[in-house]
Amino acid sequence: MFNHDTILAVDDTKENLDIILDILEDFDVIPLTSGKKALELLKNEEVSLILLDIVMPEMNGFEVCKILRSQTNTKNIPIIFTTAKTDEESISKAYEAGANDYVSKPLKRSEVIERVKTQLKLKKTIEDLEFLASRDSMTGIYNRRKFFELVNELFKESGEELFLCMIDIDFFKKINDSFGHDAGDLVIKLITKTISDMLPQDSIFARIGGEEFVAVCKKPSKEDTVELFDNIRKKISTLKIDYNSNDIGFTISSGITQKRGVTKTIDEMLKEADLALYEAKSSGRNKVVFR
């Protein structure tokens, strides 16, 4: 059965690449003959694992590995060195360069397959754990910790096209008190999905409290941003959930702010948006306030 993981095999000897292609016939393998070609390819291509020869002209495997480990898009790709050098010093150097494992030449079919499978399995386990650690368990959107990690980076590289919106479900306690927490959970999930579907693709959206959410996005103007969140507000005000023969309706209030020349941190934006949200709630709810 064909495996959907893509493996990059880098070796300056064509015969070695042919052996790897034969051994990993159940995988999608990209064969390349130099480290430079590999680095070039990885600027645009995503791969699941790299098999990397150590002894190559121009740039050896250690050098290639160090560069890959220093780049954001390649630092977590498992790298298995393929090498005829199995002395202690070479193996130590391989791990120091950032390798996950190595296989010795001549390559043995079962060993290569097992080591590749082990590294792919480990990679998936780490990705699953990272996903769980970064997500809100009920809604699947980002949690508070991941939000701040992502948004601090975005803040540094963005200008005045950056907008932040705090969103709060109106009278949420009343929903929980009247219909129970299961109904409240359904409301949160439906609101989350609706907002997620309507936000621009590259937005950062997180749940930061019980019924509190925050969204950060890039938009060309204040008017565009207010229109976006007002459309979200209107859409949510038309929704209902059917729970134990009850039609439960709900609304949201939102407070928006914009990064300005004087804005120094994301915390300043959060405070401004929070004040705008407070104004939206204290002046009648189910509205959007820009500050």
Side-chain angles (χ1 to χ4, degrees), residues 86-148:
T86 53
D87 59 284
E88 230 169 278
E89 191 187 339
S90 296
I91 291 163
S92 171
K93 213 170 162 187
Y95 286 120
E96 277 169 28
N100 297 77
D101 203 352
Y102 74 95
V103 284
S104 53
K105 292 175 178 176
L107 299 173
K108 300 176 195 73
R109 180 177 290 271
S110 59
E111 186 185 9
V112 173
I113 290 170
E114 283 313 309
R115 286 178 187 260
V116 163
K117 282 182 177 174
T118 298
Q119 289 303 324
L120 288 172
K121 197 173 173 185
L122 271 172
K123 179 173 178 273
K124 186 170 185 324
T125 302
I126 290 164
E127 284 170 353
D128 288 347
L129 288 170
E130 282 175 352
F131 181 87
L132 288 171
S134 68
R135 302 283 166 160
D136 171 59
S137 58
M138 186 198 295
T139 62
I141 61 170
Y142 291 124
N143 59 22
R144 189 185 188 94
R145 183 186 66 82
K146 189 67 178 177
F147 169 78
F148 280 104

Side-chain angles (χ1 to χ4, degrees), residues 8 32 34-45 59 64 67-68 71 73-74:
L8 175 60
L32 288 179
S34 79
K36 281 191 175 173
K37 286 179 185 171
L39 294 172
E40 202 54 43
L41 174 111
L42 289 164
K43 286 177 185 173
N44 306 305
E45 288 274 344
M59 191 184 282
V64 176
I67 292 168
L68 292 172
Q71 296 174 159
N73 63 320
T74 56

Side-chain angles (χ1 to χ4, degrees), residues 189-201:
K189 286 175 186 173
L190 182 55
I191 286 175
T192 303
K193 185 178 184 325
T194 306
I195 297 171
S196 293
D197 289 347
M198 293 180 74
L199 282 173
Q201 203 68 35

Side-chain angles (χ1 to χ4, degrees), residues 261-273:
V262 291
T263 316
K264 291 188 181 67
T265 64
I266 199 71
D267 286 335
E268 286 179 24
M269 289 184 77
L270 282 162
K271 279 174 190 159
E272 283 294 308

Side-chain angles (χ1 to χ4, degrees), residues 138 172 175-177 179-186 243:
M138 186 198 295
F172 185 67
I175 293 170
N176 276 338
D177 290 347
F179 305 103
H181 287 274
D182 287 348
D185 290 353
L186 290 173
Y243 185 77

Side-chain angles (χ1 to χ4, degrees), residues 170-187 240-250:
D170 297 326
F171 302 114
F172 185 67
K173 187 178 182 302
K174 199 184 278 184
I175 293 170
N176 276 338
D177 290 347
S178 306
F179 305 103
H181 287 274
D182 287 348
D185 290 353
L186 290 173
V187 168
K240 283 190 165 51
I241 62 160
D242 177 14
Y243 185 77
N244 289 345
S245 302
N246 294 297
D247 265 349
I248 306 171
F250 36 86

